Amino acid sequence: MAQEYFNYIDGKWVAAASGKTFASHNPATGELVGRAPESEAQDVARAVEAAARAFEKWRKTPAPRRAEIIHAAADLVRTRKQALGELLTREMGKVLSEALGDVQEAVDMGMYMAGEGRRLNGLLVPSELPNKWAMAVRDPLGVVGIITPWNFPIAVPSWKIFPALVTGNTLVWKPAEDTPVLAVEFVKIFEEAGLPPGVLNLVTGYGVPAGEALVEHPQVKLISFTGSNEIGKTIAIRCAQLGKRVSLELGGKNAIIVLDDADLDLALDGIIWSAFGTSGQRCTAASRVIVTPNVHTKLAESIADRAAKLRLGNGLLPTTDVGPLINQDAVTKVHHYTDIGRGEGAALLVGGERGTEGDLAHGHFYKPTVFDRVLPTMRLAQEEIFGPSLAIIRARDIDDAIRINNSVNFGLSASIYTSNVNKAFAAMRDVTTGIVYINAGTIGSEVQLPFGGTRGTGNGHREGGGPPVLDVFTEWKSIYVDYSGRLQRAQIDTDSLVQ
Ligand code: UN1
């Protein structure tokens, strides 16, 4: 019998009201990892009601006390890092070292947000009138709904849960249907850390009906969503109609620019890591290399060479470089783009097919794929593939490269390799993505800086860290205290004050 997992509502582990469950499988082996509740609108409603009941007390709990619980949770994540990492590889597929990094990112975020419990800076500014005090504080929103992806099943939820909690919100979390067991294990940690019942609630299940019910519920004030563009757009439209705040982190089509003066070995390492790490299933993964003429041929050959040597396999094995894709649909999608690339006339250098040899036949594997002679306008160079598929594009010079970089409908991450400091600074100024790397690949954000992007990547919010994440989960409240004891009119009585 497969182990069965439960929703967490009002501090209790409960099945879906319908009793229905769905299965989570290991994408490398097909093994059953567990079964979780297939929640529907009534489960979501119970979770939202529990969160609404818990809100008054939680918002009045002093932030430093809230932060102690967050700190304890982050400590527990650290203690369980190895076990959580192994489970992460089993349920989601990424290689163990990367799975441990995913878990570590949650420790980092927890520690960072625990610190916010004694900060949560507001504003204190002079008033234009005498004997008057002017300040602004952050208020929690109330019940917030978070919907998270499978590719960073611990890190990305931590970017939302920790800041939401420290600022005094209560939450309902709907994790991706591919990684429900990890979500349960993460929530158990908050329970053990002493989070009061109802403050964090978990409902597992599918986008429709569970995620949809969360978006629709009138008591949910914010939807924070990380996932595909298509679903993000639907959520944004619905939230606009319902008058809700929505924070979106959607796709990417990230590029690494390599100029003639770059250290090519360094660039090669960054390209291989950014394109094929996590099997290309990061929002920040590099799916384009934009290279200037003198180094184009050499770089393309070296990339193809290295990509061909990457070993596919189960992420728990130390010999594996690249794990499986999340499911069969993902394999089909990546292969579809191989067909598109061929059809568009790009040159396939390596890969372009499923990995089916030996044990790979039990999982969802796709060989690291590299296309050369890709034109910036091709679909291969414009659309998010979310897999191990890399397009090499030639640019005339740095200006052309930056123009190509900025010409896609995404703007998450970009990188440039150059040994010329002037060019590096020009790129820092002119590249229009939310994250820019100099002489490093497109992946590897840290929690103390904002994470998010421009254009189709989001809607202007930043999560993942840095002080701006607090803006997602709070309302500003400006407070004026007049202690003059008489009527003082702003903008009007100020003239008489100037001598
Ligand atoms: C994501 O792909 O959704 O910069 C998150 C990185 C990681 C986070 C990626 N720190 O690749």
Side-chain angles (χ1 to χ4, degrees), residues 146-148 172-177 201-207 210-211 214:
I146 70 166
I147 303 176
T148 57
V172 177
W173 176 22
K174 207 297 278 178
E177 58 265 28
N201 304 275
L202 174 73
V203 281
T204 60
Y206 296 99
L214 195 54

Side-chain angles (χ1 to χ4, degrees), residues 148-168:
T148 57
W150 47 264
N151 70 329
F152 274 82
I154 299 289
V156 169
S158 84
W159 293 355
K160 302 177 191 288
I161 294 173
F162 287 127
L165 290 178
V166 78
T167 49

Side-chain angles (χ1 to χ4, degrees), residues 105 151-152 156 159 249 282-284 437 443-445 451:
E105 202 157 340
N151 70 329
F152 274 82
V156 169
W159 293 355
E249 202 270 287
R282 292 194 189 214
C283 310
T284 50
Y437 290 93
I443 65 182
S445 66
F451 183 96

Side-chain angles (χ1 to χ4, degrees), residues 259-421:
L259 301 184
D260 287 350
D261 59 40
D263 174 337
L264 279 198
D265 290 334
L266 188 67
L268 185 60
D269 284 345
I271 291 166
I272 297 296
W273 168 231
S274 302
F276 303 119
T278 327
S279 311
Q281 301 173 111
R282 292 194 189 214
C283 310
T284 50
S287 57
R288 298 181 294 158
V289 165
I290 305 171
V291 56
T292 47
N294 289 348
V295 290
H296 176 184
T297 309
K298 183 158 187 262
L299 186 67
E301 276 167 11
S302 331
I303 293 172
D305 212 46
R306 284 274 293 273
K309 292 197 181 103
L310 294 171
R311 294 160 300 181
L312 289 180
N314 185 333
L316 287 176
L317 301 174
T319 46
T320 298
D321 298 312
V322 177
L325 298 188
I326 188 68
N327 52 36
Q328 207 47 43
D329 284 351
V331 174
T332 306
K333 181 178 175 194
V334 175
H335 192 61
H336 179 57
Y337 274 96
T338 297
D339 288 341
I340 290 174
R342 279 204 182 98
E344 287 179 311
L348 180 65
L349 298 185
V350 64
E353 57 184 3
R354 296 170 172 86
T356 52
E357 298 90 0
D359 282 345
L360 299 186
H362 304 296
H364 312 301
F365 290 93
Y366 202 82
K367 295 190 178 165
T369 298
V370 181
F371 277 99
D372 194 11
R373 283 189 263 133
V374 178
L375 300 178
T377 48
M378 289 180 180
R379 287 183 65 189
L380 204 56
Q382 289 282 333
E383 297 175 17
E384 186 177 46
I385 302 173
F386 221 65
S389 184
L390 182 66
I392 303 177
I393 303 165
R394 184 194 276 246
R396 282 189 304 277
D397 51 23
I398 180 174
D399 292 339
D400 194 32
I402 292 175
R403 188 189 54 74
I404 294 168
N405 176 74
N406 294 347
S407 74
V408 293
N409 186 32
F410 297 99
L412 183 54
S413 178
S415 123
I416 183 163
Y417 282 86
T418 175
S419 52
N420 181 319
V421 71

